[in-house]
Amino acid sequence: MQTQYDPKTIEREAREHWDRSGAFRAAEEPPGPGRRPKFYCLSMFPYPSGKLHMGHVRNYTIGDVMTRFHRMRGYNVLQPMGWDAFGLPAENAAMANGVPPAKWTYENIAYMKKQLQSLGFAIDWERELATCSPGYYRWNQWLFLRMLERGLVYKKTGVVNWDPMDQTVLANEQVIDGRGWRTGAPVEKREIPMYYMRITAYAEELLASLDQLPGWPERVKTMQANWIGKSHGVNIGFPYELGGEKKLLRVFTTRADTLMGATFCAVAAEHALAAHAARSNPKLAAFVEECKRGSVMEAELALLDKKGMPTGLFVAHPITGEKIEVWIGNYVLMAYGEGAVMGVPGHDERDFAFAKKYGLPIKPVIDVEGKPYSTDAWQPWYAAYGRCVNSGKYNGLDYQGAVDAIAADLKTKGLGDKQVTWRLRDWGISRQRYWGTPIPIVHCASCGDVPVPDSELPVVLPEDLVPDGTGNPLAKTPSFVNRSCPKCGKPAKREPDTMDTFVDSSWYFIRHACPDQNKSMVDERVKYWMPVDQYIGGIEHAILHLLYSRFWTKVMRELGLVSVDEPFTRLLTQGMVLNEIFYRKASDARITYYNPAEVELKHDDKGQRVGAVLRSDGKPVESDGIGTMSKSKNNGVDPQDLIEKYGADTARLFMMFASPPEQTLEWSDSGVEGGSRFLRRLWALCAEMKNRSNDVFASGTDLKVDFGAAGEDVKALRFVTHSTLSQVVFDYGRYQYNTVVSGAMKMLNALEAFEPHIGVARGSGNESNLTLRAAAFIEGLGIMLRVLYPVTPHITNALWKDLGYAAQYGDLVTAPWPTVDEAALEQDEVELVLQVNGKLRGHMRAPKSAGREQLEQLALAHDAVTRYTSGQAVKKVVV
RNA sequence: GCGAAGGUGGCGGAAUGGGUAGACGCACUGGAUUUAGGUUCCAGCGCCGCAAGGCAUGGGGGUUCGAAUCCCUUCCUUCGCACCA
């Protein structure tokens, strides 16, 4: 056995061994005795951007640890890998380099696949898929058509960002400070026809079934529930007349109990009433235009000053008939509710500010436990629930009573009723882009929008186009666009839009079960593997990707394609990978960022940081704190460098050890060194035991030993081994892999300290104790290797084989998980902690067999206790 | 503004049910090995204090024999966002 730890060689050998044996190929097992439970472990598939980043390494290492652990625990595990291969960056790269997106994408996939393989992930590569292949996206098209048939896909206009110079639609990301990223031209809004998926039809179920996901983080479920946004309220019609016609201005409110305090109404700039009022009033028209400028992004809208303008139109209060003026408010969202609100300044903070600003009346109608009310300044309790006052016949009613009574009265008058409103909106999937799934529709002058027949699927995306930034190249490619109408045969045009890439990622986890099936979208294998038992990915996908995937799964269930309600049983959202940011500010205020690898840290005698200098010139650099790894801050670390310098095992070990999976992880070069040191120590200890003259492993690893007669040193070692094992099993169960690693480190420390004992015993005449010592060591090391295997599979694979464990237990991949020997946990004496009035006062050793009374006597007689109990002890708590 | 998560040594982080705060690792210090640097090994390492002991889990208060852990309050950080009517 090599005395030097050589990760390159052992990692290559391990991978070759796994490849040869097809160790990670996953096959469906027929029902029957001996059938293992299945475990589908999936990490979010990567976008093939060029090369792996640390976030990928972390994500896939977490998934791999779970995968390998479950294999050892007797599960039939599937861990596949795929590529989220459509998207904007490929088009951007194409523009920059003049290379078609397809070529760029496939090259990136090839490189990144190599990188993933070099990290030794236990992936079944036979199930690999890429969403840009026709064999995959044809089923996007197929399901789109099924949804169209069922009314789950429909067409309507939607608003997009328009770059007037490039004549192209821009993604939000391509709008920088209201201007096109390439042209710098102020962005305009444009209404264009788009296809929508009716996700709102599933709002109720998407919300309700969150309760059936105990394996999801509460945080994510809360976010989804808020996004779906179910609210119970009342839809109220404010009557008015327009051109002699009786009409209703509809608003939605969750505070119908405050209706008697409504003193104005406000509508969105896009509201029909606003448009009507603007026609005869140029000032109003200008205000409406002003509101329509600015960004589509609603987050930015939140930062705007609240502004309004009266329309000069009046509506009647639905209960009192009082005249109420209608305003246009830039804070009213057209997309939510009715695009209009009733203004209740008395009990809504925003309405209060609005009324103050524009001198509108404020009318308090709710009394909250007699707390004072003054229109001078807003107080938090004004918005609280209370009893109606100043509200005529509703006086004295509480929230629910008032809402019920008012809703009933409105219903009688035909002016409103209770209503449930959702925040969730339908999903617009049309993208005016080239590198995506073509939407399978043909536009015919006489037949209208005609679905492409199933027999003509897939509508194949040409792979040789190079976009130039001025619109969708598909629309300018006659060979793609021109075709005959499937219905009447006359010349017609293909839909040039492609689908949102979220469509691709909404069901790839299902396709992994049957990636080679070319007759249908799914087959029987899906029933075996779905649902995904464990899904792992970044928190940034907490809402959109996960919600769309849940929606698609439910649609596919409706079509009989899957039999599950929810795609992901358990979800783990991993934290981001951070690194320190270093910079220098030049005299002209320009900032240069330096990669942490180029920076040397200075410490004082106590280990405190006193500064940082650039290695190249020895002069100081400033720290800008810790941030996510990014190009702009030049604080990234390339995983490839790490793998080449230390090997995959060290990279994986550090990733798992530095922090628990769900927390952010701070990069640390010296932490990586520490991980590498640990693996070298492990290797050195094993090589020492194997190579020394009295080879401990010479007689095999068969351990049919009775440890009952073992000496204290053996018992101590076994106590560490087995108590740590029990902690590690607990930590594997709660995905706390950092303490799994620390457990393995503890075991190695104990084994290292124990190693000389084996030698000392030799020749002492006590041969049986020597055997027991060797056995305890062999047992401890065997346990330690298995504990560590999911994290660092290569080195443990090599040691397992070289030391002879494989001969006894079989390949480490499927070796049985070690069991805790309860007998090893038993100790004759226990250390007790003595507390007086909750304060630690001393320690005491006592026989384990001692009873409560005996312990009390011992404790009360103890120096550490008597010193503090001149008075009388009232209670004693035995720890 | 709203929502969520979080704040523990010089640093990353442990502490499973309210019961020894700081496991494991990094950094640092001293020593051994080495021609030297690096590596490796041994020892030390929360703060104050000569010691006894005291003080310590963002700050303040509370519950409890006992609080990092539970409650109230406050400050700060990070993430998400949709002025949600």
Side-chain angles (χ1 to χ4, degrees), chain A residues 311-360:
Chain A
T311 59
L313 299 170
F314 288 83
V315 294
H317 190 285
I319 303 288
T320 65
E322 205 177 323
K323 274 196 143 194
I324 287 184
E325 185 158 32
V326 178
W327 287 60
I328 297 173
N330 68 349
Y331 62 93
V332 182
L333 298 181
M334 193 57 212
Y336 184 77
E338 300 283 354
V341 297
M342 65 176 192
V344 184
H347 303 286
D348 180 284
E349 187 170 3
R350 191 193 49 232
D351 292 346
F352 185 90
F354 195 82
K356 283 286 217 188
K357 183 168 179 179
Y358 295 109
L360 296 164

Side-chain angles (χ1 to χ4, degrees), chain A residues 204-216 218 221 531 550 554 557 564-571:
Chain A
E204 190 79 63
E205 194 192 340
L206 287 168
L207 180 66
S209 45
L210 286 174
D211 290 340
Q212 291 152 32
L213 296 171
W216 280 40
E218 281 308 318
K221 288 191 280 187
R550 297 180 60 219
K554 288 174 195 299
R557 177 200 60 194
V564 297
D565 293 325
E566 285 289 334
F568 313 119
T569 306
R570 287 193 326 222
L571 174 70

Side-chain angles (χ1 to χ4, degrees), chain A residues 186-197:
Chain A
V187 170
E188 298 169 6
K189 278 178 198 153
R190 243 196 201 198
E191 291 208 35
I192 57 167
M194 301 212 286
Y195 286 93
Y196 284 82
M197 290 191 171

Side-chain angles (χ1 to χ4, degrees), chain A residues 584-595:
Chain A
R584 271 185 197 155
K585 210 170 190 172
S587 48
D588 60 354
R590 264 224 313 261
I591 289 177
T592 311
Y593 289 98
Y594 297 95
N595 194 279

Side-chain angles (χ1 to χ4, degrees), chain A residues 394-525:
Chain A
Y394 307 112
N395 281 343
L397 293 175
D398 65 2
Y399 169 76
Q400 200 55 56
V403 169
D404 291 345
I406 288 171
D409 287 349
L410 290 173
K411 195 173 182 180
T412 313
K413 294 183 174 199
L415 295 178
D417 202 352
K418 286 192 181 174
Q419 188 189 21
V420 169
T421 294
W422 302 89
R423 184 201 160 280
L424 185 67
R425 280 170 238 155
D426 281 335
W427 173 18
I429 59 146
S430 292
R431 296 291 179 270
Q432 297 67 46
R433 265 171 250 302
Y434 159 45
W435 193 232
T437 302
I439 292 177
I441 296 283
V442 173
H443 302 292
C444 171
S446 36
C447 307
D449 301 341
V450 183
V452 172
D454 285 359
S455 59
E456 292 179 26
L457 296 183
V459 176
V460 177
L461 185 71
E463 293 199 344
D464 54 353
L465 306 184
V466 180
D468 61 3
T470 63
N472 180 356
L474 278 182
K476 302 180 223 167
T477 304
S479 58
F480 176 79
V481 175
N482 295 330
R483 65 147 293 161
S484 57
C485 170
K487 242 186 204 169
C488 68
K490 277 188 254 174
K493 299 272 185 204
R494 257 188 217 292
E495 167 69 48
D497 283 0
T498 53
M499 296 185 198
D500 180 5
T501 55
F502 273 119
V503 170
D504 308 323
S505 55
S506 288
W507 70 285
Y508 74 100
F509 42 90
I510 296 172
R511 186 70 183 177
H512 272 310
C514 55
D516 53 358
Q517 177 55 260
N518 56 17
K519 298 270 187 306
S520 57
M521 187 172 189
V522 298
D523 63 29
E524 278 303 303
R525 289 173 286 177

Side-chain angles (χ1 to χ4, degrees), chain A residues 125-233:
Chain A
W125 284 104
E126 295 192 2
R127 292 170 184 266
E128 181 181 2
L129 61 81
T131 58
C132 64
S133 71
Y136 183 82
Y137 66 69
R138 76 174 284 186
W139 303 110
N140 289 349
Q141 297 170 341
W142 183 81
L143 200 81
F144 172 92
L145 295 172
R146 299 293 82 74
M147 289 168 78
L148 189 67
E149 289 162 5
R150 282 163 178 75
L152 287 171
V153 162
Y154 65 97
K155 199 179 183 184
K156 71 169 182 185
T157 57
V159 188
V160 293
N161 302 305
W162 179 255
D163 186 321
M165 206 176 285
D166 265 352
Q167 293 284 298
T168 194
V169 175
L170 297 178
N172 280 341
E173 171 181 270
Q174 297 171 314
V175 180
I176 317 282
D177 296 329
R179 291 166 182 274
W181 66 325
R182 286 160 57 85
T183 62
V187 170
E188 298 169 6
K189 278 178 198 153
R190 243 196 201 198
E191 291 208 35
I192 57 167
M194 301 212 286
Y195 286 93
Y196 284 82
M197 290 191 171
R198 209 180 291 279
I199 190 172
T200 52
Y202 288 82
E204 190 79 63
E205 194 192 340
L206 287 168
L207 180 66
S209 45
L210 286 174
D211 290 340
Q212 291 152 32
L213 296 171
W216 280 40
E218 281 308 318
R219 181 153 92 104
V220 174
K221 288 191 280 187
T222 306
M223 284 162 89
Q224 291 222 347
N226 290 344
W227 185 267
I228 295 166
K230 183 179 191 174
S231 58
H232 298 267

